[in-house]
Amino acid sequence: MRTLLPLWYLTILLFFVSCTSPKRQPNTSDKIQSRTETRAKDSLRRPTQTIDTTHLNVTDTAQNVIAHSASDSVWIRALHRIPLPEEIEQRTQINVYLKYKTPINGYVVTARWMPFDPKSETGYIVMNFRHTKTGRTFHYINTEKYNNYNTDQITFAQDFTGHRNGDLHLLDYPDPTQENNTSYPTDATHPLGYRTPFQFYDVDFDGTNEFILSDWGQYRGGNQYTAYDIRPNGIKRIDYLPINQLMNDTEINRIRRTITLHLGDGAYDACTLYFSKNSQPSASPAQLPELPTWSGSTILKEYARATQHPFRLDSIHAHHNDSLYIYHIH
C-alpha cells in the first residue's frame, strides 16, 4: 500500500494540471492588427442608413452581368490608365465596370467602380466622359464613397450575390425629362432629375452646359447637386452661392436668370432665399439682416464672407413659428 499511494497521488496531480492549464492567448500584435484592419474597413463605409428602394426598378437589366467583348477591353484599359489619387487605397481588389448604353449629351460615359467589399453599396469611382464628335474627354473621380440610382439597382437587386472583380454592367440612363418620381418631379423650373446620377445643364446662365452631379442623398429636399465647369483641361467645381446649394426643390428660372433656394428645419422654421444673376460680379451689401430662423443663417453668413457675387441675393422670406419676415437686400 505504501508503494501505490504516491502513484495514486501522482496520477491525480497530473490529471488536475492537464485540466486547469491556461489556454494559449492570441498574439498581442495579431489583435492590434485585427482591430486596425476593422477600423480602417469601417471608416470606408458610410454610416448605416435606411435605403429607400421604392425608387429602384430592381427588375431592370441593369444588374445583369455581361461578358467582356474586344471593344469593352478598349475603354476598360482607358479607365485603368487614369491615375488614381493617393486617397484611393491601392489594395482595392474589386473593379466593377459600368457603361451607359447610349451617349449622354454627346458623351460616351464609362466608369470603374470599386466597391469597398463584395456586398457594399458604396465605393470609389472613376468616371470617364468622351465626346463622340469632338473626341474631348474629361473624368470625375470620387475618393470618398460613391453610389447612385444605377449602382443601387445592382446592389439591391433581389438576385444580387455580391460584386466580383471584373463584373461589367450596361446601364440605362435615367433621363431627367423622364422622371416619374411624384415627390420631386421635373418641370421648367425644377430641371434636376431625382434619379439622374449626372446631367448637363446651363445652371449659371452663361450659355454653356455645366456638369451637374447628384450625391443620391435622398434627403428631405431631395438630393444635393454639385456643379462643375467643363474646361479644356478637365472640370472645376463651382463653389459660390447659390449654385453650391442646389437640391431637387431648388427653383431655376433660365428666362429670368434666377435661382430660389428653399431651406427648412422643421415645421416652424423655414427660409426662402431669392437670387438673380448679376451682369457683373458685385460686392456684399454693407448690412445684412439677422434672421429669426436657423434656416438660412449659414447661407447668409457665407454670402457676407464672399467678396464677389456672380449672383445677387435679392430678398429673403423667413418663416418662424406663425410669423413671416420679409427682407429686401439692397
Side-chain angles (χ1 to χ4, degrees), residues 172-227:
D172 292 306
Y173 176 69
D175 195 287
T177 61
Q178 300 172 351
E179 182 61 65
N180 60 4
N181 181 270
T182 56
S183 299
Y184 302 103
T186 57
D187 54 35
T189 56
H190 298 88
L192 304 178
Y194 184 74
R195 299 179 305 157
T196 307
F198 57 85
Q199 63 193 89
F200 297 87
Y201 186 84
D202 182 13
V203 72
D204 62 357
F205 314 130
D206 66 349
T208 60
N209 287 336
E210 283 71 47
F211 172 60
I212 313 293
L213 185 78
S214 168
D215 74 341
W216 191 229
Q218 305 176 67
Y219 313 107
R220 182 178 178 181
N223 306 311
Q224 290 184 343
Y225 295 82
T226 304

Side-chain angles (χ1 to χ4, degrees), residues 14-177:
L14 291 174
F15 178 80
F16 178 80
V17 170
S18 65
C19 291
T20 59
S21 59
K23 296 180 180 179
R24 178 185 179 273
Q25 297 297 319
N27 186 286
T28 304
S29 62
D30 292 341
K31 292 192 291 184
I32 294 174
Q33 182 181 9
S34 177
R35 289 197 297 269
T36 303
E37 291 176 351
T38 300
R39 284 198 301 269
K41 191 172 184 179
D42 289 344
S43 66
L44 294 174
R45 298 173 178 168
R46 67 181 182 184
T48 301
Q49 60 176 323
T50 302
I51 303 297
D52 182 6
T53 59
T54 59
H55 304 303
L56 301 178
N57 181 8
V58 295
T59 62
D60 203 309
T61 58
Q63 71 273 13
N64 293 338
V65 181
I66 67 169
H68 295 206
S69 66
S71 60
D72 293 326
S73 299
V74 174
W75 60 263
I76 289 174
R77 285 197 298 267
L79 286 169
H80 279 270
R81 285 195 295 268
I82 299 174
L84 295 178
E86 293 181 356
E87 294 90 336
I88 295 182
E89 293 193 8
Q90 303 302 311
R91 64 181 177 84
T92 301
Q93 298 296 319
I94 303 176
N95 291 278
V96 176
Y97 303 106
L98 312 172
K99 182 178 182 180
Y100 284 92
K101 296 177 182 178
T102 57
I104 297 103
N105 201 52
Y107 288 94
V108 173
V109 183
T110 57
R112 175 188 176 190
W113 186 42
M114 293 159 272
F116 297 134
D117 60 54
K119 294 296 182 72
S120 178
E121 79 274 14
T122 60
Y124 306 123
I125 198 166
V126 177
M127 301 178 69
N128 190 64
F129 297 77
R130 180 181 60 82
H131 201 277
T132 57
K133 293 183 178 179
T134 65
R136 182 179 184 179
T137 64
F138 70 88
H139 55 260
Y140 165 80
I141 300 177
N142 189 304
T143 60
E144 294 181 357
K145 51 182 180 291
Y146 180 87
N147 68 312
N148 62 32
Y149 169 81
N150 291 117
T151 61
D152 277 4
Q153 278 187 304
I154 297 169
T155 309
F156 297 102
Q158 294 179 357
D159 58 350
F160 177 72
T161 58
H163 304 294
R164 295 168 299 179
N165 187 47
D167 283 354
L168 190 155
H169 303 270
L170 291 181
L171 307 176
D172 292 306
Y173 176 69
D175 195 287
T177 61

Side-chain angles (χ1 to χ4, degrees), residues 251 258-262 272-276 312-317 327 329:
E251 296 177 38
T258 62
I259 295 179
T260 303
L261 301 179
H262 299 280
T272 304
L273 299 97
Y274 299 86
F275 291 84
S276 62
R312 180 181 66 249
L313 177 59
D314 295 321
S315 63
I316 305 171
H317 290 191
Y327 304 92
I329 312 301

Side-chain angles (χ1 to χ4, degrees), residues 275-329:
F275 291 84
S276 62
K277 181 69 179 284
N278 272 324
S279 55
Q280 295 292 332
S282 63
S284 296
Q287 188 174 2
L288 290 170
E290 185 172 338
L291 300 181
T293 58
W294 180 88
S295 302
S297 298
T298 303
I299 302 294
L300 206 59
K301 290 178 182 178
E302 180 182 344
Y303 188 79
R305 287 195 303 266
T307 56
Q308 295 290 319
H309 297 289
F311 281 77
R312 180 181 66 249
L313 177 59
D314 295 321
S315 63
I316 305 171
H317 290 191
H319 299 263
H320 182 63
N321 294 328
D322 294 327
S323 300
L324 170 63
Y325 302 83
I326 299 177
Y327 304 92
H328 297 283
I329 312 301

